[in-house]
Structure formats: structure tokens, C-alpha cells
Amino acid sequence: MFASALSSILNKHTLTGENFADWKRNLKIVLTFEKLNFVLNTPCPPEPPVDAPNEVFLAYQRWKDSDDMARCYMITSMSTVLQAQHEDYITARQIMDNFEDMFSYQATEKRQEALSNLINYRQKAGSFIKEHMLKVMGHLTDAHTNRADIDAESQLTMIFETFK
């Protein structure tokens, strides 16, 4: 039941292109729960020879079956246009690599926007510190979510700057 609830997240948030980062995050949640996420990071083992030990054949078959399942999750959770473009890709990793190439500009734009929001945010006169800090933490979270690498000292500097 929980698995179907998780996979329904992908159905509700179908990849259209504009939402790649969110779709990828949801896909990784589903694949992790289903114990399939390894196919995105682990290359396919070579096809075993006929005389290979049974455990080698089973490991190969497990990877192939897991990859097929991951591909199905991916293909069914994207727009029909993207499905048509990716239905002939052999592995889930190939699909993800292509998406990373297609949509990498989005991450850069979102990272720049998040950092700009953080750098330019200032506390409004008369506003509560708690309210202000929640907003600052939201901007920091956006920056981290979009892979901005901000060390602790720089984070503190940015936070203090928002009070000026």
C-alpha cells in the first residue's frame, strides 16, 4: 500500500521539463523505497558467460530486472512527448543522463535565483526576528536544494547581512 502511495507521487507530478528537479527528487524517493536507486549509480555488470557461477548470473539478472523496473517508473511518470523521446533508451541511467543534459540549465538558474534572494533579502522594519529568520532559512534551504555550496562561515555572514 505504501509503495503505491509513493509511486502515485510520480503520477501526480509528471515530468514535463519545467519541473525536472522536483521530479528527480520524487523519483529518487520512490526508487530508494523500492530498493532500485542503485541502477542510477551502478553500471550494468557484463553479461555472464554460460559457464559462470549461478550467483554471477543472479546478480546480473537482479540488476537487469531492477533497471527495467526503474525505467518503467521513469517512463510512466513523464509527458507523452518525453516518453516518445526516451522509450528506446536501454537503461534508466541513460535516461537520467539525457535529462541531466537537457535540463541542467534549470539547476543553474534556480541556484542563481536562490543565492540572489538570499543575498538581497533584508529584514523589514518592525518585522519579528522569528519571521525574518524563517524566511532566511527558507532562502538557505532553496540554495542548498539547488546545489549551492555555501560553507558555514559564509552562511553566518549572509544571515548577519540580512539584518542591515
Side-chain angles (χ1 to χ4, degrees):
M1 170 143 167
F2 189 65
S4 63
L6 273 178
S7 61
S8 72
I9 292 170
L10 292 175
N11 294 333
K12 289 179 187 170
H13 303 285
T14 299
L15 176 63
T16 59
E18 301 290 318
N19 61 339
F20 175 66
D22 294 333
W23 175 84
K24 181 179 174 184
R25 188 177 316 102
N26 287 324
L27 176 71
K28 285 186 172 188
I29 291 168
V30 171
L31 294 183
T32 298
F33 178 79
E34 295 286 347
K35 310 245 185 299
L36 302 170
N37 199 33
F38 72 95
V39 299
L40 296 177
N41 307 314
T42 308
C44 179
E47 188 170 352
V50 177
D51 60 347
N54 194 39
E55 54 272 359
V56 173
F57 178 76
L58 290 174
Y60 172 77
Q61 195 57 49
R62 177 177 180 265
W63 192 96
K64 294 292 280 177
D65 292 346
S66 297
D67 187 67
D68 286 345
M69 192 106 148
R71 276 185 70 255
C72 287
Y73 276 118
M74 293 171 85
I75 295 290
T76 60
S77 65
M78 60 182 76
S79 70
T80 54
V81 171
L82 291 171
Q83 284 177 341
Q85 291 174 351
H86 293 85
E87 65 189 358
D88 293 332
Y89 281 63
I90 296 170
T91 67
R93 179 75 246 166
Q94 288 174 334
I95 294 171
M96 188 60 75
D97 285 346
N98 191 54
F99 284 151
E100 295 282 354
D101 289 343
M102 287 173 70
F103 304 123
S104 63
Y105 72 91
Q106 288 179 2
T108 302
E109 287 176 357
K110 286 185 177 191
R111 183 172 42 255
Q112 289 172 341
E113 179 183 350
L115 287 171
S116 177
N117 288 340
L118 180 60
I119 291 167
N120 295 319
Y121 186 69
R122 297 292 178 261
Q123 184 178 18
K124 294 181 175 93
S127 68
F128 293 105
I129 289 177
K130 180 180 178 180
E131 178 184 303
H132 174 73
M133 286 306 296
L134 287 172
K135 190 74 169 177
V136 170
M137 297 310 290
H139 289 314
L140 275 171
T141 300
D142 285 347
H144 283 292
T145 299
N146 290 296
R147 300 178 189 243
D149 188 21
I150 310 170
D151 61 59
E153 186 177 330
S154 297
Q155 285 183 37
L156 285 174
T157 301
M158 288 178 178
I159 290 170
F160 286 126
E161 288 291 317
T162 67
F163 288 102
K164 291 183 177 180

